[in-house]
Amino acid sequence: MFRISDKTLYALVAAGGAFLLAMLWFFDPSTSAIFPPCPTNALTKLHCPGCGTLRALHALLRGDLGEALSQNALAVVFIPILPIAYFFPKPFRKPATPIIILAVFIVYAILRNTQTFSFLSPH
């Protein structure tokens, strides 16, 4: 049976991540056909919590924090939390954490689709 070692798996994940970041650096998701549109937005015209994340990552890679925040502020806030959660997992293992994160995503999805908080929608 074929088994991949942990080091090989980490190297493959790192190489895949570097490849995806390079793709985001060279190709603008708002103009390139390489990146598909959000299926939720395409079907319902509503902005899901993830709408604009690729454009936000593209802007961050280019050093444009303002543009990244205008595309998806929640993604920009959560990006630094991911490595923190990986390296310091104990605070994130509390039973309430997934419920709180889900609630934040649901509230964000609702707010960015209202007239009052339309500034949260991707531009």
Side-chain angles (χ1 to χ4, degrees):
M1 183 171 178
F2 182 71
R3 180 158 154 67
I4 297 176
S5 72
D6 288 346
K7 287 183 180 181
T8 304
L9 182 61
Y10 293 146
L12 287 172
V13 169
F19 175 76
L20 291 175
L21 288 176
M23 293 291 290
L24 275 173
W25 171 263
F26 289 111
F27 299 102
D28 184 354
S30 61
T31 59
S32 176
I34 292 173
F35 302 105
C38 173
T40 301
N41 186 263
L43 293 172
T44 66
K45 303 297 181 213
L46 295 173
H47 299 290
C48 73
C51 280
T53 299
L54 286 177
R55 290 173 292 203
L57 289 173
H58 176 76
L60 282 175
L61 287 171
R62 300 285 180 159
D64 191 348
L65 181 60
E67 177 64 20
L69 288 169
S70 76
Q71 294 298 331
N72 192 324
L74 186 64
V76 173
V77 169
F78 264 87
I79 287 171
I81 292 174
L82 293 174
I84 293 169
Y86 180 79
F87 290 111
F88 305 101
K90 191 173 182 180
F92 296 93
R93 289 192 176 145
K94 295 183 179 180
T97 302
I99 296 166
I100 292 168
I101 292 172
L102 179 63
V104 167
F105 274 77
I106 290 170
V107 169
Y108 183 70
I110 292 168
L111 290 178
R112 73 189 321 209
N113 286 292
T114 63
Q115 188 72 26
T116 307
F117 294 94
S118 62
F119 63 90
L120 293 174
S121 298
H123 299 76

